[in-house]
Amino acid sequence: MDYLNYAKEYLMNTYNHLPVVFTHGEGCKLFDTDNKEYLDFTSGIGVMSLGYGNKNWIKAVEAQLEKVVHTSNIFLNIPVLELAKKFTEISNMTKVFFCNSGAEANEGAIKLARKYSFDKHGKARNTILTLKKSFHGRTITTLKAGGQEKLHKYFYPFTEGFKYAEANVEELEKSIDSSICAIMIEPIQGEGGINPLSEEFVHKVFGIAEKEDILVICDEIQCGIGRTGKIYGFNNYGVCPDIISTAKGLGGGLPIGAVLCNEKLNNTFEYGDHGSTFGGNPVCAAGALEVLNIISENSFLEEVSEKGKFVKEYFKSKNKKNILEVRGMGLMIGIEIEGEASRVQKKALQKGLLVLTAGPNVVRLLPPLIISKEELEAGLNTLYEIIEEE
Ligand SMILES: Cc1ncc(COP(=O)(O)O)c(C=O)c1O
């Protein structure tokens, strides 16, 4: 089968596929149709945190597949209840709503914030402040929530009620007015170029929010679930939001998203306010529970931090001509380079290494969290050579 021509003929043109088709994976390796091996620094864009073929995860999912796959939310199921307990406990939150994706989680978070504000402050207080360079998803509402002009094209009319600020204290203070009901941030911006927010800025957001009864929503879809060496990106700042949206790494490869809230919002959603046919699917919930069990075990997260430090140290020790900056936290790393990140991505693919980009000049690394230092070093050697070869 000529896969790439099949794709051209039958799939909508939404993705710029790289010329490779993977048939299977093991640990941090993927194998293509010619059985060529690739080291994966992408984890399916931050999804496959446990790598490919984790035995405990497969066991948990297979056991649930055999019992019951789907029942709908008219009925309860056991994995979703177990997951809800574990998830709220390790998140320091009180309630959770399950859905299928990041964008859907953010839609839920936005609805929850607006309903809270409607109930408490009336109809006019409905604006969500988000940040320039942010990305929150691709539905009509979440496209508009993203603070990048390039997202706000063609698909008019967008949902109203969003305002954008640069991630600095001065702009933040200027942007607060009586219409703001929530501030939504990615603690470490992903698609926007791997930009960790500054401590000062994050503390200012939480300070203003507390004073004005403005809710803080942390979009943890890319930086959450262990990615930065803590359960959530915001844990690196010593703060705790009112609402968390999460997805990607949560399911270990199966589609699941979630909105978590604190006590303040426990009773905001009432019967009929929100829902999702597949949300809380027992198979996805069984997989997610295994992911949370594994990442909250023993020293798993400390090891992620250690590996993140190892990557930073690696680049510190090297001569750099084309590497302008290495930033990020844990295993969420952005390498800003002189030249095109897509050139590096294509060259790396030829050499059996998979990397991501985040904007034109940033090579983005999101390896599986289980990656070994040896694998990291081998991939970094290849990457360094490619970036510095011109
Ligand atoms: C921070 C952030 N929010 C939301 C989304 C949207 O998630 P999904 O593609 O699962 O809808 C993404 C996806 O890249 C993301 O990185």
Side-chain angles (χ1 to χ4, degrees), residues 31 46 71 83 180 239 246 250 257 271 295 301 358 381:
F31 299 85
T71 57
L83 176 64
I180 306 287
V239 293
T246 179
L250 175 61
Y271 171 63
I295 69 159
L301 291 175
N381 285 339

Side-chain angles (χ1 to χ4, degrees), residues 93-365:
M93 292 278 130
T94 49
K95 288 205 180 191
V96 59
F97 172 86
F98 289 107
C99 56
N100 306 285
S101 68
E104 198 188 352
N106 280 337
E107 290 270 349
I110 291 164
K111 281 178 69 178
L112 187 62
R114 286 190 171 165
K115 174 84 191 319
Y116 173 86
S117 191
F118 180 96
D119 290 346
K120 201 156 168 206
H121 301 285
K123 202 173 168 185
R125 205 176 190 256
N126 57 32
T127 302
I128 317 261
L129 184 69
T130 70
L131 299 183
K132 304 250 171 85
K133 296 197 192 146
S134 63
F135 180 82
H136 296 295
R138 292 190 172 276
T139 59
I140 289 287
T141 297
T142 57
L143 272 179
K144 191 65 178 164
Q148 304 182 53
E149 275 302 311
K150 69 175 186 197
L151 303 173
H152 307 157
K153 295 189 297 190
Y154 323 123
F155 307 112
Y156 298 96
F158 286 104
T159 308
E160 292 172 17
F162 291 97
K163 199 172 159 181
Y164 316 98
E166 290 286 350
N168 66 58
V169 168
E170 210 189 337
E171 270 238 9
L172 174 71
E173 281 175 334
K174 270 199 285 187
S175 306
I176 300 296
D177 61 41
S178 60
S179 75
I180 306 287
C181 71
I183 304 172
M184 179 154 146
I185 57 173
E186 292 161 84
I188 297 101
Q189 292 182 333
E191 303 298 311
I194 308 291
N195 309 309
L197 301 181
S198 75
E199 285 265 342
E200 187 200 12
F201 179 76
V202 171
H203 285 277
K204 194 76 191 176
V205 166
F206 279 78
I208 291 176
E210 193 177 349
K211 202 163 127 238
E212 308 287 341
D213 194 26
I214 290 171
L215 299 170
V216 181
I217 305 171
C218 280
D219 177 340
E220 291 281 341
I221 289 154
Q222 192 160 148
C223 65
I225 316 293
R227 177 56 51 193
T228 67
K230 307 267 186 205
I231 300 275
Y232 292 109
F234 65 75
N235 294 138
N236 295 289
Y237 296 85
V239 293
C240 195
D242 301 290
I243 302 174
I244 302 169
S245 55
T246 179
K248 282 192 184 285
L250 175 61
L254 287 174
I256 181 168
V259 187
L260 295 124
C261 71
N262 65 16
E263 208 172 357
K264 202 153 130 178
L265 295 129
N266 266 356
N267 299 314
T268 298
F269 274 160
E270 291 167 290
Y271 171 63
D273 282 340
H274 201 45
S276 174
T277 295
F278 286 111
N281 169 282
V283 177
C284 299
L289 182 60
E290 198 52 43
V291 170
L292 296 187
N293 284 338
I294 292 172
I295 69 159
S296 59
E297 245 168 33
N298 307 323
S299 55
F300 188 95
L301 291 175
E302 284 102 274
E303 283 166 31
V304 173
S305 287
E306 278 305 306
K307 288 183 268 193
K309 283 188 197 132
F310 176 80
V311 175
K312 293 252 179 85
E313 287 301 319
Y314 177 93
F315 284 109
K316 245 188 222 154
S317 70
K318 294 279 186 192
N319 287 328
K320 293 179 278 296
K321 176 166 59 85
N322 294 332
I323 296 174
L324 305 178
E325 190 184 9
V326 179
R327 51 182 185 253
M329 287 187 195
L331 290 173
M332 181 171 186
I333 309 269
I335 306 162
E336 188 168 339
I337 59 167
E338 188 72 51
E340 279 180 32
S342 60
R343 178 198 75 85
V344 173
Q345 185 184 42
K346 286 183 191 122
K347 204 70 197 270
L349 181 75
Q350 285 167 10
K351 297 192 172 207
L353 174 70
L354 308 175
V355 297
L356 296 162
T357 62
N361 311 108
V362 177
V363 177
R364 177 172 40 151
L365 312 182

